[in-house]
Amino acid sequence: ILNVTNIDPDKISIIPHFIKPHQSTDNVEQLDRFVFIGRIAEEKQINHILYAYHNFLKYGFTTKLSIYGRDEFGQQQKVEQLIEELELQDNVEINEFTNNPLLEFQKSKASLLTSSFEGFGLSVMESINVGCPVISYDVRYGPSEIIDHGKNGYLVEQDNISELTKYMKLIIEQPLQNVHTKPELTFESAKQNYKQLFDSIEYSY
């Protein structure tokens, strides 16, 4: 907005997206796996996940990788071909789109995001909201606003596959404890932000 208008920056205020708390299910089976949930599309760069995961396994880990999503423009076939080339057939499973992503996140050690670009990243919020940390490329515009590096996940330099491997290794060796949504992204914070906005413009509600 600032780039294309002459609006005073002091007149612009940003209210972050928010998420309501989710009551985790205590009897969910915990799996030794990473998970990706999203479109199987070129911009998601799932090949980066596979290359990093291939390197991760060289350290002797047995953690699996599960991919959930709908195919777009034949990308799933390319993903499957790369799985075969890297000989990961016994370690990686591809599943159809899930209607219950929160459950799949809750089962997992961490979720992964290697997109070349993102919107706000609802899947990142959902993952953290059920206690599943996120390892994500630090791309514009959402991950850095949602992930508190070292507390509820890790931000990785964009397209840095070796660094992605490093944090996959770290999160298995030293699991993050008490993974929570950042306070400013909670429903209660959003209500307060909107109240302050309406009060500032003297809106009657």
Side-chain angles (χ1 to χ4, degrees), residues 22 31 55 80-81 109 121 148 152 179 200 205:
H22 174 78
L31 303 177
N55 294 333
E80 291 170 346
Q81 288 173 346
K109 296 288 189 181
D148 193 352
N152 60 13
V179 171
S200 70
Y205 52 91

Side-chain angles (χ1 to χ4, degrees), residues 85-96:
E85 289 174 17
L86 297 175
E87 299 182 346
L88 297 174
Q89 299 94 318
D90 294 336
N91 304 90
V92 181
E93 63 174 15
I94 299 179
N95 306 276
E96 294 183 354

Side-chain angles (χ1 to χ4, degrees), residues 4-5 25-26 47 53 55 57 76 113 143 156 160 162 170 197 203:
V4 299
T5 69
T25 306
D26 293 333
N47 60 322
Y53 178 66
N55 294 333
L57 291 179
Q76 181 169 330
L113 186 69
V156 180
N160 190 331
S162 62
L170 180 62
L197 171 63
Y203 177 80

Side-chain angles (χ1 to χ4, degrees), residues 144-200:
S144 63
E145 299 176 54
I146 305 169
I147 297 172
D148 193 352
H149 186 78
K151 294 183 178 180
N152 60 13
Y154 292 106
L155 292 166
V156 180
E157 181 185 27
Q158 186 172 358
D159 299 333
N160 190 331
I161 292 173
S162 62
E163 189 173 276
L164 178 60
T165 300
K166 167 188 156 185
Y167 284 116
M168 292 169 72
K169 181 174 179 285
L170 180 62
I171 214 161
I172 297 300
E173 292 178 333
Q174 301 176 35
L176 295 174
Q177 305 297 322
N178 300 316
V179 171
H180 294 298
T181 300
K182 292 168 72 172
E184 57 267 34
L185 301 178
T186 63
F187 181 57
E188 290 302 316
S189 292
K191 288 195 297 185
Q192 185 60 32
N193 286 334
Y194 278 106
K195 182 179 183 302
Q196 291 175 350
L197 171 63
F198 293 149
D199 287 345
S200 70

Side-chain angles (χ1 to χ4, degrees), residues 22-40:
H22 174 78
Q23 187 64 43
S24 298
T25 306
D26 293 333
N27 60 354
V28 170
E29 180 186 8
Q30 296 298 304
L31 303 177
D32 183 19
R33 72 170 187 185
F34 295 113
V35 67
F36 166 85
I37 300 179
R39 294 176 295 110
I40 302 179

